[in-house]
Amino acid sequence: MTLPNPVELLPRMAGNLTAHLHARGITEPRFVGIRTGGVWVAQALLQALGQEVPLGILDVSFYRDDFTQTGLHPQVRPSELPFEIDGQHLVLIDDVLMSGRTVRAALNELFDYGRPASVTLVCLLDLNARELPIRPDVVGATLSLGATERVKLLGPAPLTLERQDLASPA
């Protein structure tokens, strides 16, 4: 299976997001990317939308439910939300949706900052391997991988996808 090209997915995602927001009457959404790949996708998506607006950045490391098992990632940085969360319509952007645990952690963190009016989830890829009932509202592509396969986003420019096989020696 050939992995999709993010550059080709982004214009369609921008159109789908615009339609999604319009259908819900949302005119001034606030954009939040999940560090690191979600931020890269958010930046590219905002460019595809032709928008120059503040971008919130979440680092969900401390909100992960596997934090005690995996420990602290060496590059944890503070989250940056340059706008209020209360009452805002948020567009939460991640690169690859797999189990749903990263998105759950992001939602927990966002609600610690306030109560948004709504959250729209945008993901570049959905790997169809959810462990939690979390689905994107806008997605670039959906893939089904083998049990030992993963996909990693490389970037920030150009954005490319890399297939990884955890069963293969490094």
Side-chain angles (χ1 to χ4, degrees):
M1 164 191 1
T2 303
L3 294 176
N5 181 347
V7 174
E8 295 172 4
L9 298 177
L10 286 161
R12 183 171 42 89
M13 290 172 64
N16 290 345
L17 178 57
T18 299
H20 177 86
L21 295 173
H22 179 74
R24 283 153 186 77
I26 299 171
T27 57
E28 294 185 34
R30 304 288 186 238
F31 292 84
V32 179
I34 300 173
R35 187 172 275 136
T36 299
V39 172
W40 297 341
V41 173
Q43 291 166 335
L45 188 59
L46 285 171
Q47 186 175 10
L49 290 166
Q51 293 194 27
E52 291 186 32
V53 295
L55 174 62
I57 298 173
L58 285 182
D59 189 318
V60 300
S61 299
F62 291 118
Y63 286 80
R64 294 281 311 200
D65 60 4
D66 58 0
F67 174 73
T68 56
Q69 297 167 356
T70 61
L72 186 60
H73 189 277
Q75 300 201 355
V76 172
R77 295 185 297 221
S79 294
E80 304 164 31
L81 294 170
F83 41 75
E84 290 293 319
I85 297 299
D86 271 333
Q88 299 297 321
H89 294 281
L90 303 180
V91 177
L92 179 62
I93 304 164
D94 199 8
D95 54 353
V96 178
L97 175 62
M98 191 168 146
S99 67
R101 294 182 185 279
T102 297
V103 172
R104 184 213 48 87
L107 290 169
N108 284 355
E109 183 171 356
L110 286 171
F111 275 83
D112 278 351
Y113 282 95
R115 187 178 187 276
S118 69
V119 179
T120 296
L121 179 60
V122 176
C123 295
L124 183 67
L125 287 184
D126 179 353
L127 296 185
N128 236 353
R130 275 176 292 290
E131 297 170 3
L132 300 174
I134 294 173
R135 297 194 186 285
D137 298 296
V138 175
V139 65
T142 302
L143 304 175
S144 294
L145 301 178
T148 62
E149 291 180 301
R150 301 291 182 269
V151 174
K152 181 176 176 81
L153 179 68
L154 304 175
L159 291 177
T160 58
L161 294 169
E162 173 184 89
R163 183 189 313 269
Q164 300 175 329
D165 189 342
L166 303 178
S168 299

